[in-house]
Amino acid sequence: MINYQSQRGLSAIAWLVLLAVVGFFGLCIAKMAPVYAENYYIVNGFKSLTKQGGNELKNMRKQEISRSLSNYYSINNVRSPGAKELEFQPTSKGMLVINQYEVRVPLIANVDVVMSFFNVLDTSAPEECCGPPEEMLSGE
């Protein structure tokens, strides 16, 4: 008969499995967190542009917006190539500044993680900064 009172804790194999799972998720966090931090600074660059530009943001040219964002990225050490991928789309009320990019990070051997980011600044509505507008989400 087995005495269950004396059997406490995990076995050695259970500890190895637990460590492997914790190690895998730790590796994922270590590889992916810097990419999300870069995108956080890209979004903050858009937000600082709305605070800095105020009502003048509607009248800013593409070069002025690019230069202002480039200065912000330089000060905050944003080195991601995705930060420089700006697209400007004129609208009836102003301009959309679109920053859409993907980052591929090698995880283990030949396994990569692909992260997609889509940030939009509407110069006619700067208070709604940084998420895609509703009409872009609905596909209209």
PDB file of all heavy atoms in Angstrom, residues 25-43 76-83 101-107 113 115 117 119:
ATOM      1  N   PHE A  25       8.465  30.573 -22.374  1.00  0.00           N
ATOM      2  CA  PHE A  25       7.741  31.840 -22.283  1.00  0.00           C
ATOM      3  C   PHE A  25       8.676  32.992 -21.922  1.00  0.00           C
ATOM      4  O   PHE A  25       8.495  34.115 -22.390  1.00  0.00           O
ATOM      5  CB  PHE A  25       6.568  31.741 -21.312  1.00  0.00           C
ATOM      6  CG  PHE A  25       5.407  30.986 -21.890  1.00  0.00           C
ATOM      7  CD1 PHE A  25       5.064  29.739 -21.410  1.00  0.00           C
ATOM      8  CD2 PHE A  25       4.685  31.507 -22.938  1.00  0.00           C
ATOM      9  CE1 PHE A  25       4.006  29.029 -21.946  1.00  0.00           C
ATOM     10  CE2 PHE A  25       3.623  30.813 -23.502  1.00  0.00           C
ATOM     11  CZ  PHE A  25       3.282  29.569 -22.996  1.00  0.00           C
ATOM     12  N   GLY A  26       9.684  32.722 -21.127  1.00  0.00           N
ATOM     13  CA  GLY A  26      10.680  33.751 -20.827  1.00  0.00           C
ATOM     14  C   GLY A  26      11.445  34.168 -22.070  1.00  0.00           C
ATOM     15  O   GLY A  26      11.720  35.354 -22.290  1.00  0.00           O
ATOM     16  N   LEU A  27      11.803  33.193 -22.910  1.00  0.00           N
ATOM     17  CA  LEU A  27      12.486  33.484 -24.169  1.00  0.00           C
ATOM     18  C   LEU A  27      11.592  34.315 -25.087  1.00  0.00           C
ATOM     19  O   LEU A  27      12.054  35.279 -25.711  1.00  0.00           O
ATOM     20  CB  LEU A  27      12.895  32.182 -24.860  1.00  0.00           C
ATOM     21  CG  LEU A  27      13.572  32.325 -26.214  1.00  0.00           C
ATOM     22  CD1 LEU A  27      14.935  32.986 -26.057  1.00  0.00           C
ATOM     23  CD2 LEU A  27      13.700  30.974 -26.882  1.00  0.00           C
ATOM     24  N   CYS A  28      10.315  33.944 -25.172  1.00  0.00           N
ATOM     25  CA  CYS A  28       9.373  34.709 -26.004  1.00  0.00           C
ATOM     26  C   CYS A  28       9.291  36.160 -25.544  1.00  0.00           C
ATOM     27  O   CYS A  28       9.334  37.081 -26.360  1.00  0.00           O
ATOM     28  CB  CYS A  28       7.984  34.072 -25.974  1.00  0.00           C
ATOM     29  SG  CYS A  28       7.870  32.523 -26.867  1.00  0.00           S
ATOM     30  N   ILE A  29       9.193  36.366 -24.244  1.00  0.00           N
ATOM     31  CA  ILE A  29       9.113  37.723 -23.708  1.00  0.00           C
ATOM     32  C   ILE A  29      10.403  38.483 -23.987  1.00  0.00           C
ATOM     33  O   ILE A  29      10.372  39.643 -24.398  1.00  0.00           O
ATOM     34  CB  ILE A  29       8.783  37.689 -22.200  1.00  0.00           C
ATOM     35  CG1 ILE A  29       7.348  37.199 -21.997  1.00  0.00           C
ATOM     36  CG2 ILE A  29       8.993  39.043 -21.552  1.00  0.00           C
ATOM     37  CD1 ILE A  29       6.988  36.913 -20.562  1.00  0.00           C
ATOM     38  N   ALA A  30      11.535  37.835 -23.794  1.00  0.00           N
ATOM     39  CA  ALA A  30      12.821  38.499 -24.011  1.00  0.00           C
ATOM     40  C   ALA A  30      13.024  38.896 -25.472  1.00  0.00           C
ATOM     41  O   ALA A  30      13.646  39.916 -25.761  1.00  0.00           O
ATOM     42  CB  ALA A  30      13.959  37.588 -23.558  1.00  0.00           C
ATOM     43  N   LYS A  31      12.505  38.111 -26.400  1.00  0.00           N
ATOM     44  CA  LYS A  31      12.673  38.419 -27.821  1.00  0.00           C
ATOM     45  C   LYS A  31      11.646  39.432 -28.325  1.00  0.00           C
ATOM     46  O   LYS A  31      11.952  40.246 -29.196  1.00  0.00           O
ATOM     47  CB  LYS A  31      12.534  37.132 -28.660  1.00  0.00           C
ATOM     48  CG  LYS A  31      13.620  36.118 -28.425  1.00  0.00           C
ATOM     49  CD  LYS A  31      14.838  36.453 -29.211  1.00  0.00           C
ATOM     50  CE  LYS A  31      15.836  35.305 -29.124  1.00  0.00           C
ATOM     51  NZ  LYS A  31      16.780  35.344 -30.216  1.00  0.00           N
ATOM     52  N   MET A  32      10.418  39.390 -27.784  1.00  0.00           N
ATOM     53  CA  MET A  32       9.341  40.219 -28.318  1.00  0.00           C
ATOM     54  C   MET A  32       9.179  41.563 -27.612  1.00  0.00           C
ATOM     55  O   MET A  32       8.707  42.519 -28.226  1.00  0.00           O
ATOM     56  CB  MET A  32       8.030  39.439 -28.277  1.00  0.00           C
ATOM     57  CG  MET A  32       8.043  38.232 -29.184  1.00  0.00           C
ATOM     58  SD  MET A  32       6.686  37.075 -28.944  1.00  0.00           S
ATOM     59  CE  MET A  32       5.270  38.100 -29.165  1.00  0.00           C
ATOM     60  N   ALA A  33       9.556  41.668 -26.363  1.00  0.00           N
ATOM     61  CA  ALA A  33       9.358  42.912 -25.603  1.00  0.00           C
ATOM     62  C   ALA A  33      10.064  44.115 -26.235  1.00  0.00           C
ATOM     63  O   ALA A  33       9.464  45.197 -26.302  1.00  0.00           O
ATOM     64  CB  ALA A  33       9.787  42.715 -24.158  1.00  0.00           C
ATOM     65  N   PRO A  34      11.308  43.991 -26.721  1.00  0.00           N
ATOM     66  CA  PRO A  34      11.944  45.170 -27.328  1.00  0.00           C
ATOM     67  C   PRO A  34      11.206  45.690 -28.561  1.00  0.00           C
ATOM     68  O   PRO A  34      11.157  46.892 -28.798  1.00  0.00           O
ATOM     69  CB  PRO A  34      13.341  44.680 -27.705  1.00  0.00           C
ATOM     70  CG  PRO A  34      13.589  43.514 -26.822  1.00  0.00           C
ATOM     71  CD  PRO A  34      12.251  42.875 -26.591  1.00  0.00           C
ATOM     72  N   VAL A  35      10.600  44.799 -29.328  1.00  0.00           N
ATOM     73  CA  VAL A  35       9.871  45.216 -30.526  1.00  0.00           C
ATOM     74  C   VAL A  35       8.621  45.990 -30.127  1.00  0.00           C
ATOM     75  O   VAL A  35       8.300  47.031 -30.714  1.00  0.00           O
ATOM     76  CB  VAL A  35       9.509  43.990 -31.392  1.00  0.00           C
ATOM     77  CG1 VAL A  35       8.688  44.403 -32.598  1.00  0.00           C
ATOM     78  CG2 VAL A  35      10.760  43.260 -31.815  1.00  0.00           C
ATOM     79  N   TYR A  36       7.920  45.509 -29.109  1.00  0.00           N
ATOM     80  CA  TYR A  36       6.737  46.231 -28.633  1.00  0.00           C
ATOM     81  C   TYR A  36       7.125  47.553 -27.983  1.00  0.00           C
ATOM     82  O   TYR A  36       6.387  48.539 -28.079  1.00  0.00           O
ATOM     83  CB  TYR A  36       5.925  45.366 -27.671  1.00  0.00           C
ATOM     84  CG  TYR A  36       5.039  44.393 -28.405  1.00  0.00           C
ATOM     85  CD1 TYR A  36       5.404  43.070 -28.568  1.00  0.00           C
ATOM     86  CD2 TYR A  36       3.832  44.804 -28.963  1.00  0.00           C
ATOM     87  CE1 TYR A  36       4.606  42.178 -29.258  1.00  0.00           C
ATOM     88  CE2 TYR A  36       3.026  43.927 -29.659  1.00  0.00           C
ATOM     89  CZ  TYR A  36       3.414  42.612 -29.801  1.00  0.00           C
ATOM     90  OH  TYR A  36       2.627  41.740 -30.492  1.00  0.00           O
ATOM     91  N   ALA A  37       8.280  47.615 -27.349  1.00  0.00           N
ATOM     92  CA  ALA A  37       8.753  48.879 -26.770  1.00  0.00           C
ATOM     93  C   ALA A  37       9.041  49.896 -27.876  1.00  0.00           C
ATOM     94  O   ALA A  37       8.718  51.082 -27.726  1.00  0.00           O
ATOM     95  CB  ALA A  37       9.995  48.639 -25.925  1.00  0.00           C
ATOM     96  N   GLU A  38       9.628  49.443 -28.969  1.00  0.00           N
ATOM     97  CA  GLU A  38       9.877  50.343 -30.111  1.00  0.00           C
ATOM     98  C   GLU A  38       8.561  50.894 -30.656  1.00  0.00           C
ATOM     99  O   GLU A  38       8.457  52.086 -30.933  1.00  0.00           O
ATOM    100  CB  GLU A  38      10.615  49.603 -31.228  1.00  0.00           C
ATOM    101  CG  GLU A  38      12.051  49.301 -30.929  1.00  0.00           C
ATOM    102  CD  GLU A  38      12.989  50.417 -31.355  1.00  0.00           C
ATOM    103  OE1 GLU A  38      12.783  51.024 -32.403  1.00  0.00           O
ATOM    104  OE2 GLU A  38      13.943  50.647 -30.591  1.00  0.00           O
ATOM    105  N   ASN A  39       7.556  50.033 -30.801  1.00  0.00           N
ATOM    106  CA  ASN A  39       6.268  50.503 -31.302  1.00  0.00           C
ATOM    107  C   ASN A  39       5.628  51.472 -30.311  1.00  0.00           C
ATOM    108  O   ASN A  39       4.971  52.430 -30.710  1.00  0.00           O
ATOM    109  CB  ASN A  39       5.317  49.335 -31.586  1.00  0.00           C
ATOM    110  CG  ASN A  39       4.052  49.807 -32.253  1.00  0.00           C
ATOM    111  OD1 ASN A  39       4.079  50.368 -33.339  1.00  0.00           O
ATOM    112  ND2 ASN A  39       2.929  49.612 -31.579  1.00  0.00           N
ATOM    113  N   TYR A  40       5.819  51.246 -29.028  1.00  0.00           N
ATOM    114  CA  TYR A  40       5.314  52.164 -28.006  1.00  0.00           C
ATOM    115  C   TYR A  40       5.907  53.557 -28.215  1.00  0.00           C
ATOM    116  O   TYR A  40       5.201  54.565 -28.135  1.00  0.00           O
ATOM    117  CB  TYR A  40       5.660  51.618 -26.621  1.00  0.00           C
ATOM    118  CG  TYR A  40       5.331  52.541 -25.489  1.00  0.00           C
ATOM    119  CD1 TYR A  40       4.029  52.673 -25.026  1.00  0.00           C
ATOM    120  CD2 TYR A  40       6.325  53.296 -24.873  1.00  0.00           C
ATOM    121  CE1 TYR A  40       3.726  53.527 -23.984  1.00  0.00           C
ATOM    122  CE2 TYR A  40       6.032  54.149 -23.836  1.00  0.00           C
ATOM    123  CZ  TYR A  40       4.735  54.269 -23.389  1.00  0.00           C
ATOM    124  OH  TYR A  40       4.444  55.114 -22.365  1.00  0.00           O
ATOM    125  N   TYR A  41       7.202  53.632 -28.511  1.00  0.00           N
ATOM    126  CA  TYR A  41       7.834  54.923 -28.749  1.00  0.00           C
ATOM    127  C   TYR A  41       7.397  55.541 -30.072  1.00  0.00           C
ATOM    128  O   TYR A  41       7.325  56.765 -30.202  1.00  0.00           O
ATOM    129  CB  TYR A  41       9.356  54.806 -28.686  1.00  0.00           C
ATOM    130  CG  TYR A  41       9.861  54.706 -27.277  1.00  0.00           C
ATOM    131  CD1 TYR A  41      10.496  53.566 -26.828  1.00  0.00           C
ATOM    132  CD2 TYR A  41       9.683  55.745 -26.383  1.00  0.00           C
ATOM    133  CE1 TYR A  41      10.953  53.459 -25.524  1.00  0.00           C
ATOM    134  CE2 TYR A  41      10.126  55.659 -25.082  1.00  0.00           C
ATOM    135  CZ  TYR A  41      10.764  54.515 -24.657  1.00  0.00           C
ATOM    136  OH  TYR A  41      11.200  54.408 -23.367  1.00  0.00           O
ATOM    137  N   ILE A  42       7.089  54.722 -31.059  1.00  0.00           N
ATOM    138  CA  ILE A  42       6.568  55.246 -32.321  1.00  0.00           C
ATOM    139  C   ILE A  42       5.208  55.893 -32.089  1.00  0.00           C
ATOM    140  O   ILE A  42       4.942  57.004 -32.559  1.00  0.00           O
ATOM    141  CB  ILE A  42       6.491  54.130 -33.386  1.00  0.00           C
ATOM    142  CG1 ILE A  42       7.902  53.715 -33.798  1.00  0.00           C
ATOM    143  CG2 ILE A  42       5.683  54.579 -34.601  1.00  0.00           C
ATOM    144  CD1 ILE A  42       7.967  52.492 -34.677  1.00  0.00           C
ATOM    145  N   VAL A  43       4.348  55.224 -31.344  1.00  0.00           N
ATOM    146  CA  VAL A  43       3.024  55.782 -31.017  1.00  0.00           C
ATOM    147  C   VAL A  43       3.187  57.060 -30.191  1.00  0.00           C
ATOM    148  O   VAL A  43       2.491  58.049 -30.415  1.00  0.00           O
ATOM    149  CB  VAL A  43       2.164  54.733 -30.275  1.00  0.00           C
ATOM    150  CG1 VAL A  43       0.909  55.370 -29.714  1.00  0.00           C
ATOM    151  CG2 VAL A  43       1.808  53.594 -31.216  1.00  0.00           C
ATOM    152  N   ASN A  76      14.795  59.732 -28.631  1.00  0.00           N
ATOM    153  CA  ASN A  76      14.365  58.582 -27.844  1.00  0.00           C
ATOM    154  C   ASN A  76      14.986  57.265 -28.295  1.00  0.00           C
ATOM    155  O   ASN A  76      14.537  56.198 -27.881  1.00  0.00           O
ATOM    156  CB  ASN A  76      12.838  58.474 -27.860  1.00  0.00           C
ATOM    157  CG  ASN A  76      12.208  59.577 -27.057  1.00  0.00           C
ATOM    158  OD1 ASN A  76      12.377  59.641 -25.844  1.00  0.00           O
ATOM    159  ND2 ASN A  76      11.510  60.484 -27.722  1.00  0.00           N
ATOM    160  N   ASN A  77      15.979  57.344 -29.171  1.00  0.00           N
ATOM    161  CA  ASN A  77      16.754  56.175 -29.584  1.00  0.00           C
ATOM    162  C   ASN A  77      15.896  55.082 -30.234  1.00  0.00           C
ATOM    163  O   ASN A  77      16.060  53.899 -29.964  1.00  0.00           O
ATOM    164  CB  ASN A  77      17.544  55.614 -28.397  1.00  0.00           C
ATOM    165  CG  ASN A  77      18.707  54.756 -28.835  1.00  0.00           C
ATOM    166  OD1 ASN A  77      19.202  54.900 -29.940  1.00  0.00           O
ATOM    167  ND2 ASN A  77      19.137  53.863 -27.969  1.00  0.00           N
ATOM    168  N   VAL A  78      14.966  55.504 -31.082  1.00  0.00           N
ATOM    169  CA  VAL A  78      14.145  54.549 -31.835  1.00  0.00           C
ATOM    170  C   VAL A  78      14.898  54.218 -33.109  1.00  0.00           C
ATOM    171  O   VAL A  78      15.108  55.076 -33.956  1.00  0.00           O
ATOM    172  CB  VAL A  78      12.757  55.136 -32.160  1.00  0.00           C
ATOM    173  CG1 VAL A  78      11.950  54.178 -33.015  1.00  0.00           C
ATOM    174  CG2 VAL A  78      12.015  55.463 -30.886  1.00  0.00           C
ATOM    175  N   ARG A  79      15.334  52.964 -33.237  1.00  0.00           N
ATOM    176  CA  ARG A  79      16.163  52.556 -34.383  1.00  0.00           C
ATOM    177  C   ARG A  79      15.439  51.613 -35.341  1.00  0.00           C
ATOM    178  O   ARG A  79      16.030  51.142 -36.297  1.00  0.00           O
ATOM    179  CB  ARG A  79      17.425  51.872 -33.869  1.00  0.00           C
ATOM    180  CG  ARG A  79      18.284  52.805 -33.063  1.00  0.00           C
ATOM    181  CD  ARG A  79      19.519  52.117 -32.597  1.00  0.00           C
ATOM    182  NE  ARG A  79      20.355  53.030 -31.836  1.00  0.00           N
ATOM    183  CZ  ARG A  79      21.444  52.681 -31.224  1.00  0.00           C
ATOM    184  NH1 ARG A  79      21.857  51.434 -31.259  1.00  0.00           N
ATOM    185  NH2 ARG A  79      22.146  53.559 -30.555  1.00  0.00           N
ATOM    186  N   SER A  80      14.214  51.314 -35.059  1.00  0.00           N
ATOM    187  CA  SER A  80      13.468  50.369 -35.879  1.00  0.00           C
ATOM    188  C   SER A  80      13.287  50.915 -37.294  1.00  0.00           C
ATOM    189  O   SER A  80      12.913  52.069 -37.475  1.00  0.00           O
ATOM    190  CB  SER A  80      12.094  50.123 -35.245  1.00  0.00           C
ATOM    191  OG  SER A  80      11.280  49.372 -36.096  1.00  0.00           O
ATOM    192  N   PRO A  81      13.534  50.085 -38.303  1.00  0.00           N
ATOM    193  CA  PRO A  81      13.275  50.540 -39.679  1.00  0.00           C
ATOM    194  C   PRO A  81      11.800  50.853 -39.900  1.00  0.00           C
ATOM    195  O   PRO A  81      11.462  51.665 -40.748  1.00  0.00           O
ATOM    196  CB  PRO A  81      13.711  49.363 -40.547  1.00  0.00           C
ATOM    197  CG  PRO A  81      14.492  48.453 -39.678  1.00  0.00           C
ATOM    198  CD  PRO A  81      14.120  48.755 -38.265  1.00  0.00           C
ATOM    199  N   GLY A  82      10.932  50.221 -39.133  1.00  0.00           N
ATOM    200  CA  GLY A  82       9.500  50.479 -39.263  1.00  0.00           C
ATOM    201  C   GLY A  82       9.120  51.898 -38.907  1.00  0.00           C
ATOM    202  O   GLY A  82       8.113  52.419 -39.387  1.00  0.00           O
ATOM    203  N   ALA A  83       9.909  52.560 -38.081  1.00  0.00           N
ATOM    204  CA  ALA A  83       9.615  53.937 -37.690  1.00  0.00           C
ATOM    205  C   ALA A  83       9.723  54.878 -38.882  1.00  0.00           C
ATOM    206  O   ALA A  83       9.069  55.916 -38.925  1.00  0.00           O
ATOM    207  CB  ALA A  83      10.561  54.377 -36.578  1.00  0.00           C
ATOM    208  N   TYR A 101       3.997  48.418 -40.520  1.00  0.00           N
ATOM    209  CA  TYR A 101       5.202  47.627 -40.751  1.00  0.00           C
ATOM    210  C   TYR A 101       5.117  46.295 -40.028  1.00  0.00           C
ATOM    211  O   TYR A 101       4.271  46.096 -39.170  1.00  0.00           O
ATOM    212  CB  TYR A 101       6.449  48.403 -40.308  1.00  0.00           C
ATOM    213  CG  TYR A 101       6.525  48.676 -38.818  1.00  0.00           C
ATOM    214  CD1 TYR A 101       7.320  47.895 -37.996  1.00  0.00           C
ATOM    215  CD2 TYR A 101       5.817  49.710 -38.244  1.00  0.00           C
ATOM    216  CE1 TYR A 101       7.401  48.135 -36.636  1.00  0.00           C
ATOM    217  CE2 TYR A 101       5.888  49.966 -36.890  1.00  0.00           C
ATOM    218  CZ  TYR A 101       6.679  49.179 -36.094  1.00  0.00           C
ATOM    219  OH  TYR A 101       6.748  49.420 -34.753  1.00  0.00           O
ATOM    220  N   GLU A 102       5.992  45.393 -40.423  1.00  0.00           N
ATOM    221  CA  GLU A 102       6.114  44.079 -39.786  1.00  0.00           C
ATOM    222  C   GLU A 102       7.544  43.891 -39.324  1.00  0.00           C
ATOM    223  O   GLU A 102       8.482  44.374 -39.962  1.00  0.00           O
ATOM    224  CB  GLU A 102       5.764  42.958 -40.765  1.00  0.00           C
ATOM    225  CG  GLU A 102       4.307  42.839 -41.085  1.00  0.00           C
ATOM    226  CD  GLU A 102       4.015  41.624 -41.952  1.00  0.00           C
ATOM    227  OE1 GLU A 102       4.957  40.997 -42.481  1.00  0.00           O
ATOM    228  OE2 GLU A 102       2.835  41.306 -42.097  1.00  0.00           O
ATOM    229  N   VAL A 103       7.685  43.171 -38.227  1.00  0.00           N
ATOM    230  CA  VAL A 103       9.009  42.837 -37.710  1.00  0.00           C
ATOM    231  C   VAL A 103       9.077  41.330 -37.551  1.00  0.00           C
ATOM    232  O   VAL A 103       8.167  40.715 -36.998  1.00  0.00           O
ATOM    233  CB  VAL A 103       9.263  43.528 -36.349  1.00  0.00           C
ATOM    234  CG1 VAL A 103      10.618  43.145 -35.802  1.00  0.00           C
ATOM    235  CG2 VAL A 103       9.142  45.024 -36.481  1.00  0.00           C
ATOM    236  N   ARG A 104      10.148  40.743 -38.061  1.00  0.00           N
ATOM    237  CA  ARG A 104      10.373  39.307 -37.935  1.00  0.00           C
ATOM    238  C   ARG A 104      11.533  39.092 -36.969  1.00  0.00           C
ATOM    239  O   ARG A 104      12.621  39.591 -37.174  1.00  0.00           O
ATOM    240  CB  ARG A 104      10.699  38.700 -39.294  1.00  0.00           C
ATOM    241  CG  ARG A 104      10.961  37.218 -39.266  1.00  0.00           C
ATOM    242  CD  ARG A 104      11.271  36.702 -40.655  1.00  0.00           C
ATOM    243  NE  ARG A 104      10.151  36.893 -41.549  1.00  0.00           N
ATOM    244  CZ  ARG A 104       9.248  35.944 -41.816  1.00  0.00           C
ATOM    245  NH1 ARG A 104       9.341  34.768 -41.246  1.00  0.00           N
ATOM    246  NH2 ARG A 104       8.258  36.183 -42.640  1.00  0.00           N
ATOM    247  N   VAL A 105      11.261  38.345 -35.900  1.00  0.00           N
ATOM    248  CA  VAL A 105      12.265  38.084 -34.873  1.00  0.00           C
ATOM    249  C   VAL A 105      12.522  36.577 -34.817  1.00  0.00           C
ATOM    250  O   VAL A 105      11.583  35.796 -34.642  1.00  0.00           O
ATOM    251  CB  VAL A 105      11.778  38.576 -33.489  1.00  0.00           C
ATOM    252  CG1 VAL A 105      12.779  38.250 -32.407  1.00  0.00           C
ATOM    253  CG2 VAL A 105      11.497  40.055 -33.530  1.00  0.00           C
ATOM    254  N   PRO A 106      13.781  36.144 -34.973  1.00  0.00           N
ATOM    255  CA  PRO A 106      14.069  34.714 -34.844  1.00  0.00           C
ATOM    256  C   PRO A 106      13.875  34.267 -33.396  1.00  0.00           C
ATOM    257  O   PRO A 106      14.364  34.905 -32.469  1.00  0.00           O
ATOM    258  CB  PRO A 106      15.526  34.602 -35.273  1.00  0.00           C
ATOM    259  CG  PRO A 106      16.084  35.955 -35.174  1.00  0.00           C
ATOM    260  CD  PRO A 106      14.962  36.922 -35.290  1.00  0.00           C
ATOM    261  N   LEU A 107      13.160  33.161 -33.224  1.00  0.00           N
ATOM    262  CA  LEU A 107      12.866  32.671 -31.874  1.00  0.00           C
ATOM    263  C   LEU A 107      13.795  31.513 -31.524  1.00  0.00           C
ATOM    264  O   LEU A 107      14.664  31.632 -30.671  1.00  0.00           O
ATOM    265  CB  LEU A 107      11.399  32.256 -31.777  1.00  0.00           C
ATOM    266  CG  LEU A 107      10.864  31.970 -30.394  1.00  0.00           C
ATOM    267  CD1 LEU A 107      10.984  33.180 -29.496  1.00  0.00           C
ATOM    268  CD2 LEU A 107       9.421  31.525 -30.471  1.00  0.00           C
ATOM    269  N   VAL A 113       9.033  34.720 -35.192  1.00  0.00           N
ATOM    270  CA  VAL A 113       7.791  35.364 -34.766  1.00  0.00           C
ATOM    271  C   VAL A 113       7.632  36.609 -35.623  1.00  0.00           C
ATOM    272  O   VAL A 113       8.556  37.421 -35.729  1.00  0.00           O
ATOM    273  CB  VAL A 113       7.843  35.750 -33.267  1.00  0.00           C
ATOM    274  CG1 VAL A 113       6.599  36.512 -32.867  1.00  0.00           C
ATOM    275  CG2 VAL A 113       8.010  34.518 -32.411  1.00  0.00           C
ATOM    276  N   MET A 115       5.504  40.062 -36.128  1.00  0.00           N
ATOM    277  CA  MET A 115       4.608  40.996 -35.447  1.00  0.00           C
ATOM    278  C   MET A 115       4.260  42.122 -36.408  1.00  0.00           C
ATOM    279  O   MET A 115       5.152  42.701 -37.034  1.00  0.00           O
ATOM    280  CB  MET A 115       5.286  41.544 -34.193  1.00  0.00           C
ATOM    281  CG  MET A 115       5.515  40.470 -33.143  1.00  0.00           C
ATOM    282  SD  MET A 115       6.622  40.988 -31.847  1.00  0.00           S
ATOM    283  CE  MET A 115       8.203  40.626 -32.616  1.00  0.00           C
ATOM    284  N   PHE A 117       2.335  45.859 -37.064  1.00  0.00           N
ATOM    285  CA  PHE A 117       1.914  47.067 -36.372  1.00  0.00           C
ATOM    286  C   PHE A 117       1.269  48.011 -37.374  1.00  0.00           C
ATOM    287  O   PHE A 117       1.704  48.122 -38.520  1.00  0.00           O
ATOM    288  CB  PHE A 117       3.110  47.755 -35.711  1.00  0.00           C
ATOM    289  CG  PHE A 117       3.770  46.900 -34.661  1.00  0.00           C
ATOM    290  CD1 PHE A 117       4.901  46.178 -34.964  1.00  0.00           C
ATOM    291  CD2 PHE A 117       3.240  46.809 -33.395  1.00  0.00           C
ATOM    292  CE1 PHE A 117       5.515  45.379 -34.011  1.00  0.00           C
ATOM    293  CE2 PHE A 117       3.832  46.012 -32.437  1.00  0.00           C
ATOM    294  CZ  PHE A 117       4.968  45.294 -32.738  1.00  0.00           C
ATOM    295  N   ASN A 119      -0.219  51.938 -37.174  1.00  0.00           N
ATOM    296  CA  ASN A 119      -0.459  53.167 -36.431  1.00  0.00           C
ATOM    297  C   ASN A 119      -0.878  54.254 -37.408  1.00  0.00           C
ATOM    298  O   ASN A 119      -0.248  54.431 -38.451  1.00  0.00           O
ATOM    299  CB  ASN A 119       0.813  53.618 -35.696  1.00  0.00           C
ATOM    300  CG  ASN A 119       1.369  52.515 -34.824  1.00  0.00           C
ATOM    301  OD1 ASN A 119       0.656  51.909 -34.044  1.00  0.00           O
ATOM    302  ND2 ASN A 119       2.651  52.230 -34.979  1.00  0.00           N
TER     303      ASN A 119
END
